[in-house]
Amino acid sequence: MTAKICLVTGASSGIGHATALELLRAGHIVYGAARRVHMMEAIREAGGHALPMDVTKEEDLQRVVHTVLDEHQRIDVLVNNAGAVVHGAVEDTPLEMARDEFEVNVFAPARLVQLVLPQMREQRSGTIVNVSSIGGEIALPLGAWYYASKHALEAFSDTLRMETRQFGIDVVVIQPGIIKTDFEAGTARQLREISGSGAYRQMAEAMAGAAEAPVGHQSDQATDPGVVATAIRQAIESDRPETRYVVGWQAEALLQLNRSLPDREFDARITGSLN
């Protein structure tokens, strides 16, 4: 197998970190990019490259892409993994926070796609992996802007896939379920700060309590991020990857539940546990 030149965002922790290491183990050339460069030492030790990047800064995005192209004259794989999450009722959440959510989860991946596409088109090959969530297809209470951003990322990916197929470029969406990471470590605090004292306080407290319980993203049942990393590696090494990979605890079950139930019945099952 020929080594691929890979750029992975959000590589300082969680799925991004695991993906960078998985791709390095498989023999690929990997550039991990994140704000917290000091947390990517394991990537360097494994033979990869660690680049500082804030996905909300245009100059950082351009610098990182140009660095990879200057050193290898190609980019074979872009893994858009960096993400953010905000929890709070629609009525309570400041729109500035919503805009920030879309900046990280939608516009930053879109800009990176714009930056890598000219070279991918020229080489007539490439794989773009957009890490979404089961929240790209379903929605739960008190997370409207996160779910909206992931729904947007998936629609963006579908259009991108149809546009770039003619150039030999694959576009893949990853839909993780409940993964054992620190991604939602601030969930309970955020819920209480934004919606803990208003009309939605009962729901917010119920969700905050669930987030603090020994279940969820840090539980023994949550899936190790390495499982998601393996799916990403399989996608980029495949001659014909799937358009979507559903990975992790509760992912398939929740998606199937959402697809099979009428909307109001799904709503009732979800909100019933929060009242």
Side-chain angles (χ1 to χ4, degrees), residues 16-215:
H17 193 73
T19 298
L21 294 175
E22 175 74 13
L23 297 180
L24 284 165
R25 285 191 291 267
H28 300 294
I29 297 169
V30 178
Y31 288 77
R35 290 178 301 169
R36 299 175 295 180
V37 183
H38 66 281
M39 294 181 64
M40 295 189 285
E41 190 58 37
I43 293 172
R44 286 199 188 97
E45 292 175 355
H49 307 265
L51 301 177
M53 184 178 75
D54 182 335
V55 296
T56 66
K57 295 182 178 179
E58 170 70 16
E59 60 272 24
D60 279 15
L61 304 183
Q62 290 197 30
R63 173 179 47 76
V64 166
V65 171
H66 291 159
T67 295
V68 180
L69 290 176
D70 288 346
E71 295 181 6
H72 297 281
Q73 293 72 57
R74 64 185 294 123
I75 292 179
D76 298 304
V77 176
L78 168 64
V79 180
N80 276 317
N81 167 74
V85 62
V86 59
H87 292 95
V90 171
E91 186 176 345
D92 299 330
T93 305
L95 286 182
E96 189 57 41
M97 295 181 74
R99 292 186 182 98
D100 290 344
E101 187 87 336
F102 268 73
E103 192 66 42
V104 174
N105 291 355
V106 181
F107 297 122
R111 182 58 182 141
L112 281 169
V113 165
Q114 290 180 330
L115 290 170
V116 304
L117 273 181
Q119 179 58 41
M120 287 186 174
R121 282 193 296 99
E122 183 177 331
Q123 66 199 37
R124 299 196 71 81
S125 66
T127 304
I128 295 168
V129 178
N130 289 329
V131 178
S132 178
S133 162
I134 56 173
E137 189 171 328
I138 69 173
L140 303 175
L142 305 185
W145 297 111
Y146 175 75
Y147 299 118
S149 71
K150 291 301 185 180
H151 277 62
L153 181 64
E154 295 213 13
F156 169 86
S157 300
D158 288 337
T159 293
L160 181 67
R161 183 182 67 249
M162 290 184 276
E163 290 177 353
T164 59
R165 178 184 177 186
Q166 61 185 310
F167 304 112
I169 298 167
D170 289 309
V171 179
V172 174
V173 169
I174 306 295
Q175 294 179 310
I178 299 176
I179 309 300
K180 190 178 295 184
T181 72
D182 292 328
F183 182 63
E184 296 205 39
T187 296
R189 173 190 54 77
Q190 206 172 53
L191 283 165
R192 290 179 177 126
E193 286 179 356
I194 295 175
S195 292
S197 59
Y200 306 91
R201 59 187 177 276
Q202 181 177 342
M203 182 178 282
E205 186 54 42
M207 289 189 70
E212 291 173 330
V215 294

